[in-house]
Each structure stands twice: as structure tokens, then as C-alpha cells.
Amino acid sequence: MSRGFIKEGDQEEIPRVPMRAYLPEGVPNYVTKEGLEALKEELKDLEVERVKAGDNYIMVNFIDASIKLLVDRINSAVEVDLSKSKKDTVSFGAWVRYKGRVVRIVGVDEADVNKGLISFISPIAKLLMGKKAGDIIELRSSEKITVEEVSFEPMELTRIINDRPVKTSKTIERRPRRIIEEQPELRTQAQSIEEHVAIASPSKAEGPLQFVPEVNATEFLPIVNERGNIVGRAMYVELHNGNKMLHPIAHLHVINGKGETTRLYWWHVAFGDTPEKTLKRKMEETLGLSGTNPKLKRQYIRETKNEKELVYVFTVVSEEDLPMPPEEKEYMDLFAKD
């Protein structure tokens, strides 16, 4: 499991330790055998890092706090015996095929929608629980999906690579796709986390191409200090519910030959990426702009009652007819201090 690392001298203050994956109070911490082993391996890694930290008190305090959260999670783990599960019915640990996609229902710390692993507390998992092959499920969007297959033997999971669902043995489809299980409601952490993937991509239902801001409630994003150094990670939903954990975001101002701003876009910086790397990838994938070199204009901290962002403002000159961003005041306010 990935973690942020702190190098000596990177910062002066002890960083805030990111929370473990959200688990509602009173809900058992169910895990698969593999999930529990992964938690124990994570603990071993942290203990090694603790020794390497030496007398760097910032690093030591950060790791000690991380270890405490991890030990609490390990001690509360309830390993589920899958041999006792009904083989034809969806339950914890099952592999499920629907809409040609294969997912597995796992514990909250194991969940990674990009790898086809969904948390048992997620809405889609709750809808699938108790269903059998052939059963039909109706989502809140009135869309209906059919359970195609249930198995407790390993199946090839559908991974999300570069925002696209693919099988690891298949060729990656190059055309941008949008996958939406359900529309998430990101109001408070106490609410269930949606297993939702939506990429910012042009859509052309009617009229000109429209830019759709990205929302991936279960994606892990980096937590940074004010210098932009990664100090941890947290899920999208945890970063937008009032915890005020600083995370990086890229703003893009598209300017025409007259020096006028014609488009405004934004993207979250992916974990492990630099702002420039995320920006160039998203420009190509969602705007069709490639071979351009955006320039960093400035950076600043933007804070609201729900979030705290380290904003990197970039500009690029283009005369192309790019997707139209939303015109709502709420969207435009994001760029007010750029």
C-alpha cells in the first residue's frame, strides 16, 4: 500500500497523518485473508522506516502516528472465511461480473477501484450483496444492470488504467471513456462512500463539446505540505469533507493570440505525479491538446469550509475550439484568486 514519505529537512512542522480508509462506527472491519496479510506487511514496512528515521523527530512522530492507526485497524480486523460462503450468491470476498466488468468485494483498506476492488460498504457493493447470476439491479439513475456471474474463485479483475477500464491481458482502448456506477454525494464522511468513477472528458450529447470536471470519490490523492512535498495520501471524499488536508490541484488558463482567457479548467494532481505531468496528460486526454508546453504562472493556497488546496496555476496559448467548461458561478469562483 502506497504511502507518502518525508525527507529530513523537507519541512519544519509535523505533518498531519492521513486517516485510514473510512469505516462507519459500529461496522465490523471485515477483511479478506489477502487484505489482512497486506496490512501486516504494511506494518513491517513502517517499522523498518521507523528504524531508518533515526533521530529525525518529524519523521519518527509521523511514522509512530501512522503505526498506531494501522495497529488499531489490524487489531479490529475480522477475517472472513470464504469457504462458508454460498457459492452462487454475492457476499463479502466474491468476484462479480456485471456489464462486462469484473469487481471483487473487499475490506475498506483493500479497496482500490482502479484495480477492480470495491469496498463492502460502497453503495454498489450493497446493491450486489445477496444477488445471484441473472438478478437485475436498478440504480438510482434508473439504469438497470444484470449480475452476469458470481464466483469465489479468482477471476481477472477489470482495472482502470489511465481512466479507462481494461483487462490486463487486453489492449488498452485509446478512446476516452466515462464510467459511472452511481452519482456520488460528497457531503460528510459519515455518509457512505460511492464506488464512482467519472473522468473529466469531452461529451457531445447535444451542441458543442462540454468539459466535465472529474470526480472519483474513492481515488487516493496526495497530501502535501505548503512546499508541495508529499506527506501522505487520502481518498477524494476525505479531502473534501472539512478535514482541510492540503492537496495539490492544477488550474489551466487557455489564452488566445490576443492575450484573452478563453477557457478555464482544473484537475486534481494524481498521487505520484508532478502538477506538470498530470496537467499535460489531462490536456491530451480530455482536451485533445498535445505537444504544448503550459507555463506555471503562480501557486497559492485556496481554502474553503470543505477543503484546502495547493493551487498551481498554468497558462497555455491555443486558438483551438476546446470543450466548453461549466458556466455556473460555483465553477468560476474556483479561479477567482488565480
Side-chain angles (χ1 to χ4, degrees), residues 98-99 101 121-128 137-143 145 179-186 192-198 215-217:
Y98 66 94
K99 294 180 66 176
R101 177 185 180 185
I121 67 171
S122 65
I124 188 64
K126 290 179 179 179
L127 289 172
L128 290 169
I137 299 171
E138 184 171 348
L139 304 180
R140 288 186 305 175
S141 60
S142 297
E143 178 186 4
I145 60 174
I179 305 170
I180 301 178
E181 300 290 2
E182 297 180 80
Q183 187 65 30
E185 297 178 5
L186 307 179
S192 297
I193 296 173
E194 301 279 358
E195 287 296 346
H196 171 88
V197 177
V215 174
N216 184 341

Side-chain angles (χ1 to χ4, degrees), residues 19 22 24 184-194 217 236-243 306:
M19 299 176 293
Y22 172 61
E185 297 178 5
L186 307 179
R187 293 194 291 271
T188 66
Q189 188 185 15
Q191 293 176 307
S192 297
I193 296 173
E194 301 279 358
Y236 179 103
V237 71
E238 296 173 327
L239 295 172
H240 296 81
N241 67 356
N243 286 316
N306 293 322

Side-chain angles (χ1 to χ4, degrees), residues 21 33 65 72 80 118 130 156 164 168 173 199 208 216 220 251 275 326:
K33 179 180 179 181
D72 289 344
V80 178
I118 63 174
E156 186 179 6
R164 301 172 179 86
T168 53
E173 184 179 357
I199 66 169
N216 184 341
F220 278 102
H251 285 189

Side-chain angles (χ1 to χ4, degrees), residues 196-207:
H196 171 88
V197 177
I199 66 169
S201 60
S203 60
K204 192 172 183 179
E206 294 181 2

Side-chain angles (χ1 to χ4, degrees), residues 163-268:
D163 297 327
R164 301 172 179 86
V166 301
K167 292 296 182 63
T168 53
S169 61
K170 302 284 186 178
T171 301
I172 298 176
E173 184 179 357
R174 297 300 176 187
R175 180 173 56 86
R177 295 182 60 188
R178 230 177 142 209
I179 305 170
I180 301 178
E181 300 290 2
E182 297 180 80
Q183 187 65 30
E185 297 178 5
L186 307 179
R187 293 194 291 271
T188 66
Q189 188 185 15
Q191 293 176 307
S192 297
I193 296 173
E194 301 279 358
E195 287 296 346
H196 171 88
V197 177
I199 66 169
S201 60
S203 60
K204 192 172 183 179
E206 294 181 2
L209 290 172
Q210 298 294 316
F211 173 80
V212 182
E214 63 182 6
V215 174
N216 184 341
T218 57
E219 178 186 12
F220 278 102
L221 297 173
I223 299 172
V224 299
N225 60 24
E226 294 187 1
R227 301 177 187 177
N229 299 315
I230 295 177
V231 298
R233 69 172 191 168
M235 281 194 292
Y236 179 103
V237 71
E238 296 173 327
L239 295 172
H240 296 81
N241 67 356
N243 286 316
K244 301 295 183 71
M245 290 184 284
L246 188 64
H247 56 285
I249 192 167
H251 285 189
L252 179 65
H253 292 235
V254 180
I255 300 172
N256 62 20
K258 299 178 182 180
E260 302 168 329
T261 298
T262 58
R263 300 285 193 276
L264 296 170
Y265 305 106
W266 67 264
W267 296 274
H268 282 98

Side-chain angles (χ1 to χ4, degrees), residues 6-18:
I6 308 166
K7 295 180 180 178
E8 187 172 5
D10 273 353
Q11 58 185 42
E12 299 176 356
E13 298 181 357
I14 298 173
R16 178 173 179 171
V17 178

